[in-house]
Amino acid sequence: MLKNYLPYLRDATLRRLCLSSFVLGLTYSLTLPYLPVYLKTDLGFSGILTGLLLTGFSAASIVCGTFLSRVADRRGGHLGLLRLCSLAGVGGYAGLAFTSNWALLLLLGMTLVAFASVGFTMLFAMARAYCDRLGDGDTVMRMNIIRACFSLAWVAGPSFGAFLWARFELRAVFVAAAACFLLLWLLVAFQKAENTVAAEESAGGTTERISMLFVVGIGGFFLLMAVANSISMSLLPIYLREDHGIDPEWIGILLGFAALVEIPLMVMVAALCRRYTKLTVIVGGVLVTCGYYLTLAFAEGIPTFLFAQALSALSIAIIMGIGMSYVQDMAGSRVSSGTNVYNSASNIGNVVAGLLFGALLEVARYDRVYLLCAAGCLVALSVLIVFSRLHRPPTAPPVPAPAVAEPVAAPLPEESR
C-alpha cells in the first residue's frame, strides 16, 4: 500500500523537506529523553534544580516561539529563521555538552536552545506554504509524509543516544545533537529562496494576532491530549512490569511496536481526509485514543497489549499528523502562529503531565490512571467541538497555481523581504 505514496517523493523539494524533518526529529529524540538524567546524574544537580532548569528551558521556548512566529507571519522569512535556529542549536547544545555551571546552563537553555526549538514551527510552516502552492489538493498527504519523517527519527534517536551514552559518555549525546543541527543548517543554508510571497501574499492578513478563542480552543485541546499521552507513556513500563509481570524484553517490543507501526499509519490516515473532513477524522482519532486507554485499563496478556499499542499508533498518527494540518487550516494566513500554538500546547502538556504523574501514582491504582486519561480525552473532545462551532477561520490569501512542474529541486518557499 505504501507504494501508492512513493510518487510524492519524486519531488526533490519534498525529499529535502523530509530529510530536514528527520534531522530535526533526531535533535529532539536525542536530547529530550537524556537531558534530565544528564543534569541530575552527570552534573550532580539536585532534583529541585533539575526541575527548575527544565521548566526554565520550556518556558523560554514557548516565549521565543510565540515572538518569532508572529515575526514570521508579519514579515515572512521562514527559511531565514530556520537557518538561524539551526545555528543556535549548534551553539546551544555544544554549550550544554561542555558546561557544568548551572547559571550558564540556564542562560544557554533560555537563549540559544530556546531559539533552536522554534525550528519545528519554522520548518512545518514553510512546508505547509510549499504544499499549498502546488495546488493539487494533496497538501494533507504531503504534510503527513513530512511529519512521518519526524516521527521516524524517534524510532532511531533514543537508541542511538543510548549507544553514545554507553560507548562514550552522556555529553556525547548533546555533541551529536549539535552535529544534527549543523547538518540541518547545511541542508537549508544554500537553498535559494523564492522571491515571491506565495501563500502569504496578503500583508494585511498577517498583521492580525491569533485570537484568544483559537489559543484557548486549539491550545486547550492539544494540551489535554498531551497531558494524557505523556502520563500514559510514562506509566506504561511500570504498569506492564509491576501489575502484569511482563518481562523487560517484551516491554521493549511493545514500546517499539507502537513507534514502528505509527510511521506507515501516519501516511495512510491522510487518505481519509479525501473522504471526510479533518475535524471528523480527528474526532475519530480522539475516540480511538479513549479506546486505547480503556484497553490498557482492562487488558490481560501480551496479545491484548499488542492490540492496544496498535490503537496507540493509530491515535498518534491522527492526532499528531492530521491535527497539525487542521490547526494550520484554522489559522488561515497566520500559519506560523498556528503551528506554534500546536507545538507549545503539546510542550506545556508534557510539563503539566510531569507535575501530575508522581501525585497520581500516590493516590490511584495504575489501571485507574488510564481511566482518568480516557476521561481527559473526552474533556478535550468537548473543547474541540465547542471551538469548531464558534471559530471561523480567516480567509487565507489565494494560492497561485504553479507552472508546469518538473521533478527537479524547486526552491523552498520564502517570503519577499
PDB file of all heavy atoms in Angstrom, residues 48-61:
ATOM      1  N   ILE A  48      15.395  19.377  42.609  1.00  0.00           N
ATOM      2  CA  ILE A  48      14.720  20.672  42.509  1.00  0.00           C
ATOM      3  C   ILE A  48      15.390  21.540  41.451  1.00  0.00           C
ATOM      4  O   ILE A  48      14.712  22.152  40.602  1.00  0.00           O
ATOM      5  CB  ILE A  48      14.718  21.387  43.870  1.00  0.00           C
ATOM      6  CG1 ILE A  48      13.866  20.603  44.871  1.00  0.00           C
ATOM      7  CG2 ILE A  48      14.221  22.817  43.731  1.00  0.00           C
ATOM      8  CD1 ILE A  48      13.867  21.186  46.264  1.00  0.00           C
ATOM      9  N   LEU A  49      16.726  21.608  41.465  1.00  0.00           N
ATOM     10  CA  LEU A  49      17.436  22.429  40.488  1.00  0.00           C
ATOM     11  C   LEU A  49      17.224  21.881  39.077  1.00  0.00           C
ATOM     12  O   LEU A  49      17.038  22.656  38.124  1.00  0.00           O
ATOM     13  CB  LEU A  49      18.936  22.471  40.821  1.00  0.00           C
ATOM     14  CG  LEU A  49      19.809  23.321  39.884  1.00  0.00           C
ATOM     15  CD1 LEU A  49      19.290  24.748  39.811  1.00  0.00           C
ATOM     16  CD2 LEU A  49      21.264  23.299  40.350  1.00  0.00           C
ATOM     17  N   THR A  50      17.233  20.563  38.934  1.00  0.00           N
ATOM     18  CA  THR A  50      16.986  19.963  37.619  1.00  0.00           C
ATOM     19  C   THR A  50      15.609  20.356  37.108  1.00  0.00           C
ATOM     20  O   THR A  50      15.440  20.737  35.943  1.00  0.00           O
ATOM     21  CB  THR A  50      17.102  18.430  37.702  1.00  0.00           C
ATOM     22  OG1 THR A  50      18.436  18.086  38.087  1.00  0.00           O
ATOM     23  CG2 THR A  50      16.777  17.787  36.369  1.00  0.00           C
ATOM     24  N   GLY A  51      14.612  20.268  37.979  1.00  0.00           N
ATOM     25  CA  GLY A  51      13.257  20.646  37.586  1.00  0.00           C
ATOM     26  C   GLY A  51      13.147  22.112  37.216  1.00  0.00           C
ATOM     27  O   GLY A  51      12.472  22.471  36.240  1.00  0.00           O
ATOM     28  N   LEU A  52      13.827  22.972  37.977  1.00  0.00           N
ATOM     29  CA  LEU A  52      13.794  24.403  37.668  1.00  0.00           C
ATOM     30  C   LEU A  52      14.450  24.696  36.328  1.00  0.00           C
ATOM     31  O   LEU A  52      13.955  25.523  35.543  1.00  0.00           O
ATOM     32  CB  LEU A  52      14.476  25.194  38.784  1.00  0.00           C
ATOM     33  CG  LEU A  52      13.733  25.253  40.121  1.00  0.00           C
ATOM     34  CD1 LEU A  52      14.584  25.956  41.176  1.00  0.00           C
ATOM     35  CD2 LEU A  52      12.394  25.974  39.962  1.00  0.00           C
ATOM     36  N   LEU A  53      15.570  24.038  36.042  1.00  0.00           N
ATOM     37  CA  LEU A  53      16.242  24.252  34.763  1.00  0.00           C
ATOM     38  C   LEU A  53      15.359  23.800  33.601  1.00  0.00           C
ATOM     39  O   LEU A  53      15.215  24.523  32.597  1.00  0.00           O
ATOM     40  CB  LEU A  53      17.566  23.496  34.736  1.00  0.00           C
ATOM     41  CG  LEU A  53      18.693  24.068  35.599  1.00  0.00           C
ATOM     42  CD1 LEU A  53      19.879  23.106  35.645  1.00  0.00           C
ATOM     43  CD2 LEU A  53      19.147  25.424  35.062  1.00  0.00           C
ATOM     44  N   LEU A  54      14.757  22.625  33.719  1.00  0.00           N
ATOM     45  CA  LEU A  54      13.909  22.120  32.640  1.00  0.00           C
ATOM     46  C   LEU A  54      12.688  23.014  32.436  1.00  0.00           C
ATOM     47  O   LEU A  54      12.276  23.278  31.303  1.00  0.00           O
ATOM     48  CB  LEU A  54      13.466  20.692  32.944  1.00  0.00           C
ATOM     49  CG  LEU A  54      14.584  19.636  32.969  1.00  0.00           C
ATOM     50  CD1 LEU A  54      14.031  18.288  33.400  1.00  0.00           C
ATOM     51  CD2 LEU A  54      15.250  19.519  31.603  1.00  0.00           C
ATOM     52  N   THR A  55      12.121  23.502  33.545  1.00  0.00           N
ATOM     53  CA  THR A  55      10.978  24.411  33.438  1.00  0.00           C
ATOM     54  C   THR A  55      11.388  25.718  32.779  1.00  0.00           C
ATOM     55  O   THR A  55      10.651  26.265  31.942  1.00  0.00           O
ATOM     56  CB  THR A  55      10.381  24.686  34.826  1.00  0.00           C
ATOM     57  OG1 THR A  55       9.998  23.447  35.432  1.00  0.00           O
ATOM     58  CG2 THR A  55       9.171  25.589  34.728  1.00  0.00           C
ATOM     59  N   GLY A  56      12.565  26.234  33.140  1.00  0.00           N
ATOM     60  CA  GLY A  56      13.065  27.456  32.514  1.00  0.00           C
ATOM     61  C   GLY A  56      13.289  27.287  31.023  1.00  0.00           C
ATOM     62  O   GLY A  56      12.944  28.170  30.224  1.00  0.00           O
ATOM     63  N   PHE A  57      13.854  26.148  30.634  1.00  0.00           N
ATOM     64  CA  PHE A  57      14.060  25.876  29.205  1.00  0.00           C
ATOM     65  C   PHE A  57      12.720  25.868  28.464  1.00  0.00           C
ATOM     66  O   PHE A  57      12.587  26.467  27.387  1.00  0.00           O
ATOM     67  CB  PHE A  57      14.729  24.510  29.004  1.00  0.00           C
ATOM     68  CG  PHE A  57      16.153  24.435  29.494  1.00  0.00           C
ATOM     69  CD1 PHE A  57      16.783  25.527  30.076  1.00  0.00           C
ATOM     70  CD2 PHE A  57      16.875  23.262  29.376  1.00  0.00           C
ATOM     71  CE1 PHE A  57      18.090  25.458  30.535  1.00  0.00           C
ATOM     72  CE2 PHE A  57      18.184  23.174  29.819  1.00  0.00           C
ATOM     73  CZ  PHE A  57      18.792  24.264  30.402  1.00  0.00           C
ATOM     74  N   SER A  58      11.726  25.187  29.039  1.00  0.00           N
ATOM     75  CA  SER A  58      10.421  25.071  28.373  1.00  0.00           C
ATOM     76  C   SER A  58       9.727  26.425  28.272  1.00  0.00           C
ATOM     77  O   SER A  58       9.163  26.768  27.229  1.00  0.00           O
ATOM     78  CB  SER A  58       9.533  24.085  29.138  1.00  0.00           C
ATOM     79  OG  SER A  58      10.106  22.800  29.168  1.00  0.00           O
ATOM     80  N   ALA A  59       9.750  27.193  29.359  1.00  0.00           N
ATOM     81  CA  ALA A  59       9.099  28.499  29.351  1.00  0.00           C
ATOM     82  C   ALA A  59       9.734  29.426  28.321  1.00  0.00           C
ATOM     83  O   ALA A  59       9.035  30.126  27.576  1.00  0.00           O
ATOM     84  CB  ALA A  59       9.165  29.117  30.756  1.00  0.00           C
ATOM     85  N   ALA A  60      11.060  29.416  28.256  1.00  0.00           N
ATOM     86  CA  ALA A  60      11.751  30.267  27.290  1.00  0.00           C
ATOM     87  C   ALA A  60      11.442  29.841  25.858  1.00  0.00           C
ATOM     88  O   ALA A  60      11.307  30.686  24.963  1.00  0.00           O
ATOM     89  CB  ALA A  60      13.257  30.229  27.542  1.00  0.00           C
ATOM     90  N   SER A  61      11.308  28.540  25.628  1.00  0.00           N
ATOM     91  CA  SER A  61      10.982  28.048  24.286  1.00  0.00           C
ATOM     92  C   SER A  61       9.607  28.536  23.847  1.00  0.00           C
ATOM     93  O   SER A  61       9.415  28.913  22.688  1.00  0.00           O
ATOM     94  CB  SER A  61      11.025  26.516  24.266  1.00  0.00           C
ATOM     95  OG  SER A  61      12.319  26.048  24.552  1.00  0.00           O
TER      96      SER A  61
END
